[in-house]
Amino acid sequence: MVDKPGQQDRRQTNRRDGLLQQTALLIAAGLITRLLGFVYRILLARSIGAEGLGLYQMVFPILVLFLDMTTLSLPVTLSKTVAEAYAQHRPDWAATYLRVALRLTLGLGITFALSLYLAKDLIVGRLLADPRAEAPLLVSLPMLLVMAVGAVLQGYFRGIQRMVPLAAAQIVEQMARIAVGLSAAHAFIAAGIQYAAAGASLGTLTGEAVSTAFLAMLFWRIRSSFLPIRRSSLGASAALSQLLQISIPVTLSKLTDALAAAIQPMIITQALLAAQYAVREATAAYGRLAAMALPLVTFPTVITYALAMSLVPAVSQRAARQDATGMIAASTQTLRGVLLIGLPVTAVLYTLAEPLCQLVYGTMEAANLMQILSIGGLFLYLSTPSAAILQGAGYASLPFYVSVAQAILSLALTPVLVRSFSLGIEGAAWAQVIGMVVGGLANCIAVARRIGLRLGAKETARLFLPAGVLFLVLQLLAGCLQGFSLPIFVLVALFIGGLVYLASVLAFHSLSRSEWFALPWVGAWLKRLLS
């Protein structure tokens, strides 16, 4: 059937607005959970200190590595396969994908949980060089089974475009985590700092369990509307084969990042010990880097992660229709949006590092590390959505190669910068920055070459100039507001900086009129105002 004039444009606009609305919903939930998470870290840091956070953070990367091997990137894979199944009017296929994914992840979860338990002495005694990490490790083991089910349910809800349950589950998870984690850490601290760290791990486990139970309850209510009773025409082996074809490249990329994150505390602590740090001093230094400075710099990834989750099925649909123009438009719009958000965030994190650290953690010990990491922050923010674009377009192997190169470079540079250049923990931060720059640039270059971008020099300048103005204004405000109390100083600087950045975006025409109207919530208000 031939489209009427303007009909195709209206469909494309609706798809774009739908993508923006879904992304905005996930971003809103992510921001709420991140804010709750920061409150949790503030209270936890003041309760168990940098040493306790260091013990908790040492175990977490190892757990993430095994979680990635258990879940096999099924939230991404199922969102793609389930969406395609319903688009082809085959709900029985979606049911098969769901059942096969559950069986696979539960089997892997049991296997890896037992493996971690048997290897606990090797991990905490030799690899982490701190036997006190055993308590938080053992408490975290059941999370492999809980998150195996949770990952499958998340992928299914994304596939059927139900973002409200996912957003609500994030908030429920964080609230349970905070309540149990703080209570347990406070109750166990008298027994030793390692048990306080185990209490924080118990909070994380409880949050995941509550979130998974919440999604399971919602799934049980809607199952009859989306899953058929009739026998599926897709066999289990065929479904498993299709799932693995998509998930293996994505999983390898995530495993590379998780493996690097798991090895990183070992390399950093060993390098610090070789640089004449004491054991407790090295643990505290790593805590300042990984549990204080890095969470502030990675805060905007809540936005890039939401973009990535929405981009994979959106780009996949355009690729299936061989809509090259649509893929280029989606890629350009996404990366422009990341720059408009990431550039001002980088300026704020660099110029206000000391007051932000003092306000959040009650100390400025991590401020210099935060400034260093903020230099690579923009490239970190670009990396995830650009990788999602490549995965959706069928180039999932490219982000994997980039992840390997980035991990090898960062890990290799860490001992060199820590010991040979005598930079201490700052050397470890610089090694991460170099890896962020390489990873972000490589993914963006791959998107430009494989898919294409409509981002010229003039348009790029319009994106960078407002951030430059913001940086200068924040530097000026830092000198003018010294007499104010810390909370007032930060709030006034952020408020004035935000107004200046918004005015600069308008002055330099960084967003077109149609892009302003397409913004969730804000666009509808602007349309009513101008009409």
Side-chain angles (χ1 to χ4, degrees), residues 68-89:
D68 287 339
M69 290 190 293
T70 299
T71 59
L72 287 175
S73 302
L74 284 174
V76 176
T77 307
L78 275 178
S79 68
K80 180 179 175 66
T81 55
V82 168
E84 291 175 349
Y86 283 115
Q88 298 169 1
H89 306 289

Side-chain angles (χ1 to χ4, degrees), residues 33 44 81 88 107 197 199 296 313 391 393 419 431 492:
T33 56
L44 194 62
T81 55
Q88 298 169 1
L296 287 173
Q391 291 163 0
R419 296 172 57 186
V492 170

